[in-house]
């Protein structure tokens, strides 16, 4: 009999074929590739003994009732969609690896004493409609129906994309779970970072999912001829922007549990022989602690004000997104730790610097995450890679977690 890790790798390789042409894996909400994968996954779920359904938000749900259907349900899940030219494990590993574990239990006649739902969330990345956590928000009962009118670059609405999947957007409210009927939510995910690999550990326990904030910053100088305007008279907005980039970078390097990036720059007028008169740029800060992130924000904005004043530049600023971090459940963490120790492995705790479906699910129930090592800590990239051995350890950890969860959930 093949190992759980081998079985998972076969499914992951198969799922990766449902992609737009080009490097890596591109599978966005409602696309032809997404539709085709759903057909395949429905069959995989049914073969594993699940009751299978598709909800109004396009989430594929498999339910194993267990030996006591009246107990509260444990939800396991991750997302089906990808970024453009992403990898073959981000998101979908957290669906297909639990699937092979649950399939093996079904085949061996080892039902759990409580119901389990495995959810393949329709959209977490927001690649097509710039609206993250669509599927998990529906389960949590926090989905904003106004998003159904969002359009992609071709003018297709999200509502139509969901209908293309075979979902009925009008029934999204019915997808919301009753918190009293749910015992917790667990997600398995590649780490998307280098810590586990650096410490030669296959898995790690997530303590919190980072908080995120994003800002729009416009720096206003004065355009002019690059050959005739003396250097001491220039108000070069791009030079000011370079100060901002360095200020953000240094602040994050000097502050524990804080990361940040300037990911977008638009130079105006963007001509080879014209002094930049304005720059529009993005600022992002992430931390698992709100106090650290907000203090960093205040410090950075103060530093920006001083630096731009020195260069005689004006500026405008707007906070356009803020997501507070969420903490992972201590009881889920301790149950995962016991499952890891059962295998004679070291427990490693770490926080997630990326957002995940748990950000939405936390409003419904206790959440937890198990990270699995990935090569070079690389994700959202065609070279994303994992090993069969690590898939096997992760599968065994989940199986032991499931055995222990009945007592932990009381």
């Amino acid at each position: 009999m093949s190992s759980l890790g081998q079985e998972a790798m076969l499914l992951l390789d198969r799922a990766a074929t449902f992609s737009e042409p080009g490097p890596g894996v591109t599978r966005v909400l409602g696309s032809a590739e997404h539709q085709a994968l759903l057909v395949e996954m429905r069959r995989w779920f049914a073969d594993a003994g699940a009751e299978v359904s598709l909800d109004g938000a396009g989430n594929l749900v498999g339910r194993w009732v267990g030996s006591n259907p009246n107990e509260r349900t444990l939800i396991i899940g991750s997302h089906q969609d990808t970024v453009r030219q992403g990898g073959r494990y981000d998101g979908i590993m957290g669906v297909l690896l639990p699937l092979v574990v649950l399939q093996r239990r079904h085949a061996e006649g080892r039902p759990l004493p409580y119901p389990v739902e495995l959810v393949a969330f329709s959209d977490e990345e927001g690649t097509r409609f710039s609206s993250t956590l669509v599927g998990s928000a529906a389960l949590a009962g926090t989905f904003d129906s106004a998003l159904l009118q969002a359009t992609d670059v071709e003018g297709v609405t999200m509502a139509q994309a969901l209908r293309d999947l075979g979902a009925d957007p009008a029934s999204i409210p019915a997808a919301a779970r009753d918190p009293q009927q749910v015992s917790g939510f667990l997600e398995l995910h590649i780490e998307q970072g280098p810590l586990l690999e650096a410490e030669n550990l296959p898995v790690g326990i997530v303590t919190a999912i980072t908080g995120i904030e994003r800002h729009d910053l416009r720096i206003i100088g004065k355009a002019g001829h690059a050959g005739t305007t003396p250097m001491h008279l220039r108000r070069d907005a791009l030079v000011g922007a370079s100060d901002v980039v360095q200020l953000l970078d240094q602040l994050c390097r000097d502050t524990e549990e804080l990361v940040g990036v300037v990911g977008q720059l638009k130079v105006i007028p963007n001509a080879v022989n014209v002094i930049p008169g304005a720059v529009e740029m993005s600022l992002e800060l992430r931390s698992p602690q709100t106090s650290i992130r907000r203090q960093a924000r205040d410090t950075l904005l103060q530093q920006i004000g001083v630096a731009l004043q020195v260069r005689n530049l004006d500026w405008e600023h707007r906070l356009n997104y803020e997501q507070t971090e969420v903490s992972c459940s201590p009881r889920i963490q301790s149950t995962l730790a016991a499952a890891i120790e059962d295998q004679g492995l070291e427990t490693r705790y770490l926080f997630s610097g990326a957002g995940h479906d748990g950000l939405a699910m936390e409003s419904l129930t206790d959440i937890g995450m198990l990270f699995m090592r990935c090569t070079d800590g690389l994700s959202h990239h065609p070279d994303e890679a994992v090993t069969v051995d690590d898939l096997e350890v992760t599968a065994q950890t989940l199986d032991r977690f499931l055995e222990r969860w009945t007592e932990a959930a009381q």
Side-chain angles (χ1 to χ4, degrees):
M1 180 181 293
S2 59
S3 72
L4 293 170
Q6 290 169 327
E7 292 179 14
M9 187 66 85
L10 288 173
L11 289 184
L12 288 163
D13 287 344
R14 174 62 177 156
T17 66
F18 295 94
S19 170
E20 293 180 13
V25 179
T26 300
R27 187 171 54 245
V28 302
L29 176 63
S31 63
E33 296 77 23
H34 191 182
Q35 295 171 44
L37 176 62
L38 265 182
V39 172
E40 194 90 340
M41 286 205 302
R42 275 181 175 272
R43 180 173 61 81
W44 295 343
F45 276 43
D47 289 347
E51 300 172 357
V52 189
S53 61
L54 186 73
D55 69 22
N59 298 315
L60 185 67
V61 181
R63 182 175 177 85
W64 290 259
V65 296
S67 58
N68 190 346
N70 295 321
E71 289 292 326
R72 292 187 297 163
T73 299
L74 173 68
I75 301 176
I76 304 171
S78 194
H79 56 97
Q80 310 167 41
D81 65 316
T82 72
V83 297
R84 296 200 176 276
Q85 299 186 2
R88 59 176 58 199
Y89 307 108
D90 176 17
I92 195 67
M93 187 278 289
V95 177
L96 299 183
L97 185 63
L99 178 62
V100 301
V101 172
L102 292 164
Q103 182 176 34
R104 181 68 63 86
R105 296 189 68 94
H106 173 71
E108 294 177 349
R110 293 189 294 137
L112 290 160
Y114 54 85
V116 173
E117 287 187 348
L118 177 59
V119 183
F121 293 118
S122 59
D123 184 278
E124 184 258 10
E125 301 286 4
T127 302
R128 185 174 182 182
F129 296 101
S130 300
S131 50
T132 61
L133 308 175
V134 169
S136 47
L139 255 69
T142 59
F143 179 78
D144 181 0
S145 60
L147 292 175
L148 292 172
Q149 302 311 311
T151 57
D152 67 6
V153 294
E154 296 178 346
V156 179
T157 65
M158 180 186 292
Q160 183 58 53
L162 291 172
R163 286 192 288 268
D164 290 341
L165 285 179
D168 175 14
S171 68
I172 287 178
R177 298 297 191 269
D178 179 355
Q180 299 303 313
Q181 299 300 316
V182 179
S183 65
F185 169 72
L186 176 66
E187 181 171 9
L188 279 55
H189 205 282
I190 60 171
E191 182 194 353
Q192 301 181 279
L195 295 180
L196 293 174
E197 185 177 57
E199 299 177 23
N200 195 29
L201 295 171
V203 292
I205 300 168
V206 178
T207 58
I209 303 174
T210 192
I212 306 171
E213 62 179 68
R214 297 186 180 119
H215 304 252
D216 292 328
L217 182 67
R218 180 179 174 88
I219 300 173
I220 306 162
K222 187 173 181 64
H225 196 294
T228 62
T229 307
M231 296 301 292
H232 71 283
L233 295 180
R234 298 187 180 197
R235 298 177 61 212
D236 189 326
L238 185 56
V239 174
S242 71
D243 288 341
V244 173
V245 172
Q246 293 182 70
L247 287 169
L248 182 146
D249 184 76
Q250 193 60 52
L251 178 62
C252 292
R253 291 177 185 275
D254 293 342
T255 308
E256 290 289 331
E257 296 193 324
L258 178 72
V259 295
V261 71
V262 174
Q264 294 178 322
L265 281 171
K266 180 180 179 182
V267 181
I268 302 167
N270 200 32
V272 67
N273 60 348
V274 179
I275 298 164
V279 171
E280 296 173 354
M281 59 196 301
S282 65
L283 309 175
E284 182 184 87
L285 296 171
R286 299 186 183 218
S287 175
Q289 294 190 44
T290 297
S291 58
I292 292 175
R293 177 171 50 81
R294 290 182 175 171
Q295 178 59 53
R297 174 204 303 173
D298 293 343
T299 299
L300 179 63
L301 293 178
Q302 188 272 333
Q303 291 175 341
I304 288 172
V306 171
L308 297 184
Q309 184 178 31
V310 168
R311 296 193 182 277
N312 194 26
L313 297 167
D314 299 320
W315 58 295
E316 301 168 351
H317 159 264
R318 180 173 69 93
L319 173 66
N320 65 26
Y321 177 83
E322 183 174 13
Q323 170 67 60
T324 304
E325 78 283 351
V326 300
S327 297
C328 292
S329 158
R331 64 181 178 150
I332 295 180
Q333 291 186 57
S334 63
T335 308
L336 286 170
I340 293 169
E341 291 162 1
D342 282 347
Q343 301 170 80
L345 298 171
E346 178 185 343
T347 55
R348 174 65 157 90
Y349 296 88
L350 65 169
F351 77 88
S352 173
H356 297 283
D357 285 300
L359 291 171
M361 293 295 286
E362 191 268 344
S363 64
L364 172 71
T365 187
D366 288 348
I367 68 163
M369 287 195 73
L370 181 71
F371 273 169
M372 186 182 78
R373 171 172 51 191
C374 57
T375 303
D376 296 330
L378 188 65
S379 75
H380 286 192
H381 189 278
D383 293 341
E384 198 175 85
V386 302
T387 67
V388 168
D389 287 345
D390 285 353
L391 287 168
E392 178 67 20
V393 170
T394 306
Q396 294 297 335
T397 301
L398 175 60
D399 195 50
R400 287 164 169 79
F401 175 91
L402 294 173
E403 289 286 348
R404 291 176 171 273
W405 183 241
T406 303
E407 181 177 345
Q410 300 305 315

